[in-house]
Each structure stands twice: as structure tokens, then as C-alpha cells.
Amino acid sequence: MTNFTFVLKIVTEHITIKNEELILTNQRALYWPREDALILSDVHIGKTAHFRKHGIPMPDDVLQKDLERLKRLILHFDAKTLLIVGDLFHAERNSDIFTFKEWLTQFQELKLILIKGNHDRQSQLLMDDLNIEVVTNLVSGPFKFLHEPKDNDKEEFVISGHTHPGVLIRGKGKQKIKLPCYQITENQLILPAFSLFTGLNTGNNTEEADYYAFTNTAIFKI
């Protein structure tokens, strides 16, 4: 595995949903203290290797940076469970998956749960090899975890991913910037995509939602 260093600052925002404390971070994941669980979505391991396989040059360190951020978050919160809300993987088995397998060896006691996403087409044999529990949904406490958002059920609070939410912030004149965010409504929280190698979707934003956008050094409510 390639060795490299980069500056990483973990900034947090504490919120309460259904009487449960959740800690949002500017590093594209949230922590649920009561369950000692780090929760994230859309890691898309294998995406860069997939692009390279098809002749599109991609930097080698994209996955390395994602995994280094994930490592820092696990250690920062001393998380006991890693809950991935879909799209842990992106494509067929390739070299990135072997990189991930090697990375996992440093977390022997970490419990991994994957809510199966639309890109998670890997074999059960591989999931068993990586010691990942795979489910289609998970109900824990007051929350239901799904990959794709579901906003038509008022009886449960859904935590999901899939849409890669972002906000467009306009400055003076023609200045504007897109930032990733957490999108929260009365009955749903949509996580930002964890991987840095993903696009941002600002097309599903509504006035009924709260948005917590973030940068490398800050997190703030819009």
C-alpha cells in the first residue's frame, strides 16, 4: 500500500434526532454514540481501478486518501461498528478490492455491516472473505437504514445515501461553489457520498430540508 501523508481535520456538529445524539463530521460520515457506530455511504471502492481498466487515467491515491480518512475517523471515535449504507463497492472485483482487504487487517475487532446498494454486486463469497455482514435494510433503535432514500413513510426515520447530496452556495456577482452536505427532513437523513471521487447532486434540494454543508475545515448549517 502506498505511503503518503496529508492534513486532515475532523470537525463535528452534534444533532438530536428521535432523542438520539448523532455526530455529523466534515469528513463525510456520522457517528452514533449509543451504538459506537460510524455510518457512511457510497465509498465506491473499485471505481478508480475500473476507470483505469477502460483506458481512463486516474490517480493512484484516490482510494488511499478515502481509506486514510476512514481510518482516522474510526480511530477518532473508537468506533466498534462500521455501517456502510450502500455502494461500498463500485464495479467488478479488481485491484482496489485487494487494497481494501489489506487495509482491513488493521481492524480485526471492527464489525462491518453493509446495506446492499445498487453497485454492490460482489459475490457472497467475497463478502464472507472480507467478514462483511450484508443485508438489504437494517432497523436499529428509532432508525431504518436503507441505501436509497424513502421519504413517503411517516412512521419511521430513514437514514440513507445513494443521491450524493450537495448544495450550491452563491456569493457576490457570479461567484458560486458546490459543497457536499447532509440533507435532513422530518423523517429522513441522506448521507453525503464518502468517496472524494463522486459527483454532487443539487437537483433534489427542497425548502423542507435542513442542510449541513462542509469543507475540509468546517461544517455549518445552511
Side-chain angles (χ1 to χ4, degrees), residues 37-185:
L38 187 67
I39 303 168
L40 58 148
S41 184
D42 298 280
V43 189
H44 289 281
I45 293 170
K47 187 174 184 179
T48 52
H50 176 77
F51 274 61
R52 287 195 296 271
K53 180 180 177 180
H54 290 82
I56 302 173
M58 294 300 304
D60 292 334
D61 66 349
V62 172
L63 177 60
Q64 303 288 351
K65 288 181 178 179
D66 284 344
L67 293 179
E68 181 63 21
R69 285 189 302 115
L70 184 52
K71 174 182 177 180
R72 303 269 189 97
L73 285 163
I74 292 169
L75 295 177
H76 178 82
F77 290 108
D78 192 22
K80 302 300 187 292
T81 298
L82 183 62
L83 175 58
I84 304 103
V85 190
D87 286 357
L88 172 60
F89 301 107
H90 181 80
E92 70 283 352
R93 184 191 292 244
N94 56 38
S95 59
D96 282 353
I97 293 177
F98 296 107
T99 298
F100 178 58
K101 181 179 179 179
E102 179 186 348
W103 179 88
L104 277 177
T105 59
Q106 66 193 302
F107 297 110
Q108 298 290 334
E109 302 301 320
L110 185 67
K111 181 178 182 180
L112 276 74
I113 303 174
L114 170 62
I115 309 297
K116 191 172 184 178
N118 55 297
H119 279 279
D120 294 312
R121 304 178 188 129
Q122 304 296 329
S123 68
Q124 185 60 48
L125 186 63
L126 176 63
M127 298 298 101
D128 292 342
D129 184 41
L130 297 175
N131 199 26
I132 299 175
E133 178 184 350
V134 182
V135 295
T136 56
N137 67 78
L138 175 69
V139 176
S140 181
F143 304 130
K144 184 173 185 177
F145 296 92
L146 298 169
H147 177 55
E148 298 189 24
K150 178 185 177 184
D151 58 6
N152 60 350
D153 193 331
K154 305 303 182 184
E155 300 302 318
E156 57 193 9
F157 191 95
V158 173
I159 297 179
S160 63
H162 183 60
T163 62
H164 305 185
V167 291
L168 181 63
I169 299 176
R170 300 184 184 275
K172 294 182 178 179
K174 295 183 179 180
Q175 294 180 340
K176 57 185 178 180
I177 185 174
K178 280 185 178 182
L179 294 175
C181 69
Y182 301 84
Q183 182 177 340
I184 305 174
T185 60

Side-chain angles (χ1 to χ4, degrees), residues 191-222:
L191 294 160
F194 184 78
S195 177
L196 299 177
F197 185 43
T198 51
L200 293 178
N201 179 8
T202 61
N204 293 330
N205 296 350
T206 66
E207 294 183 358
E208 291 75 25
D210 290 329
Y211 299 90
Y212 289 86
F214 50 86
T215 66
N216 290 334
T217 59
I219 183 169
F220 49 92
K221 187 176 181 180
I222 302 298

